[in-house]
Amino acid sequence: MDVRAPDSILGSPALTDLIGDTPLLPIGGLREVPGRVEVSGKAEWFNPGGSVKDRAAWGMVQAGERSGALTRDKILIDATSGNTGIAYAWIGAARGLRVRLCVPANASARRLRVIEAFGAELVLTSPMEGTDGAIREARRMVAEEPDRYFYPDQYSNPANWQAHYRTTAAEVWAQTEGRVTHLVAGIGTSGTLVGTARRLRELRPELEVVAVQPDSPYHALEGLKHLASCMVPAIYDPGAHQRTLEVTSEDAIDMAKRQARLGLLIGWSAGAALAAAERVARELERGTVVAILPDGAERYLDDPLWGEGA
Ligand code: PMP
């Protein structure tokens, strides 16, 4: 039985209209930050699919539909560690598209269940090979039957970073009333960092962009890449940021727990971004630091790392 959304429900207003325009929240609980330095976080879990990746997935789907490469007879396929998969899965369901996702088998069980609930198909790949293994599997399937698939390839697709150039950056600029001096963001595909940084630096050329990376290849920060040991995304631009800060998984998780006690339930990569933002803020006398908080903690609460007494 084909249960895909019929054309009749694909009108407006649509759930996809609610992507973006996420709140920029003042961040408390940071240590040794001078009084004249503001730190705020872009709360990306307010997107309908619960993460920053709604923006990129929707940008790539729209670009595919516009170019004619994505039609209803194609299967949308991509490799994803979880959040992009959820974004493709719900956007695909809402638009009547079939979705197949290559995901490392050790991605969080809760995320995989969410993806399946939207009716997308999972192809589980070796946990030992991480997202690189998922990418290789997606490429292999597409090479075998190229006409069957629409392969947005989030690691190489300019529509990924362009979504942030158009939306995330414009929102940060408006929400800080043009005051933002520092942008702090993690790197997965690098779409968030590259797109937001490019636009904000056009608006303020002296803005400092800080990239956040896990300190080791063996880290718990789902969604982030340790670039030195991974396949570097084609859309990655080393010129997009002025500095890189490495964050340990312990510091990121500690920060997430600290924020939870202040009412803000953020994910691990958001904890990493805030741990880096705290370090940046400490060095300043005045300034407005904006960290991108990619998702909330709901999807990580089953993780033993959240720990007892949290
Ligand atoms: N954090 C989380 C939780 C993510 O899922 C992602 C996406 N992989 C990122 C950070 C990084 O975002 P981007 O792909 O835009 O670099």
Side-chain angles (χ1 to χ4, degrees):
M1 186 183 59
D2 190 346
V3 293
R4 290 192 281 163
D7 285 324
S8 56
I9 68 155
L10 300 182
S12 180
L15 207 47
T16 46
D17 295 338
L18 301 178
I19 296 172
D21 285 326
T22 54
L24 185 70
L25 304 173
I27 301 296
L30 303 181
R31 297 177 183 144
E32 297 162 44
V33 171
R36 285 196 296 184
V37 181
E38 283 176 87
V39 179
S40 48
K42 191 84 170 124
E44 289 297 302
W45 62 92
F46 278 86
N47 283 301
S51 88
V52 69
K53 298 305 303 205
D54 283 1
R55 297 179 189 263
W58 180 224
M60 292 185 287
V61 165
Q62 284 178 298
E65 289 179 343
R66 228 179 283 122
S67 73
L70 175 55
T71 48
R72 290 262 208 124
D73 53 333
K74 295 279 169 77
I75 300 175
L76 186 160
I77 188 170
D78 214 337
T80 154
S81 68
N83 277 332
T84 312
I86 291 172
Y88 284 138
W90 81 258
I91 293 169
R95 293 189 79 73
L97 300 167
R98 279 186 66 185
V99 176
R100 180 173 293 171
L101 301 167
C102 300
V103 185
N106 58 339
S108 98
R110 176 131 10 153
R111 286 189 197 199
L112 300 184
R113 289 181 65 175
V114 174
I115 288 171
E116 285 183 315
F118 286 121
E121 236 177 281
L122 289 171
V123 178
L124 297 180
T125 59
S126 161
M128 304 305 291
E129 294 178 38
T131 40
D132 287 356
I135 294 170
R136 281 190 285 268
E137 179 61 11
R139 287 185 184 163
R140 192 192 62 74
M141 292 176 82
V142 173
E144 235 168 46
E145 294 178 282
D147 295 339
R148 224 173 148 205
Y149 293 109
F150 168 69
Y151 178 35
D153 187 0
Q154 58 163 337
Y155 293 92
S156 313
N157 191 332
N160 175 351
W161 67 261
Q162 285 163 359
H164 296 283
Y165 181 95
R166 259 196 338 270
T167 68
T168 319
E171 293 166 30
V172 167
W173 189 252
Q175 287 167 316
T176 60
E177 295 168 338
R179 288 194 313 275
V180 58
T181 57
H182 294 74
L183 171 73
V184 182
I187 295 182
T189 63
S190 76
T192 305
L193 179 92
V194 168
T196 312
R198 277 191 183 145
R199 181 65 189 136
L200 285 179
R201 278 176 58 85
E202 284 171 4
L203 293 164
R204 162 166 289 144
E206 68 277 20
L207 178 109
E208 189 169 305
V209 181
V210 180
V212 181
Q213 278 198 47
D215 69 324
S216 110
Y218 310 102
H219 65 88
L221 307 177
E222 195 161 310
L224 296 189
K225 265 181 181 275
H226 180 256
L227 280 183
S229 59
C230 288
M231 279 160 54
V232 176
I235 59 169
Y236 174 67
D237 169 8
H241 52 93
Q242 284 66 55
R243 269 175 95 174
T244 299
L245 287 181
E246 295 196 342
V247 176
T248 66
S249 299
E250 294 72 31
D251 284 352
I253 293 170
D254 279 353
M255 178 60 83
K257 289 181 180 174
R258 216 196 298 168
Q259 292 300 323
R261 293 308 177 100
L262 297 170
L264 208 57
L265 209 54
I266 56 173
W268 300 159
S269 70
L274 283 185
E278 180 179 58
R279 273 151 66 186
V280 170
R282 276 178 191 159
E283 297 167 1
L284 304 175
E285 276 173 31
R286 62 173 68 203
T288 299
V289 180
V290 172
I292 308 292
L293 311 181
D295 65 6
E298 293 283 345
R299 290 171 186 158
Y300 305 87
L301 293 178
D302 295 335
D303 191 321
L305 290 171
W306 188 262
E308 285 171 22

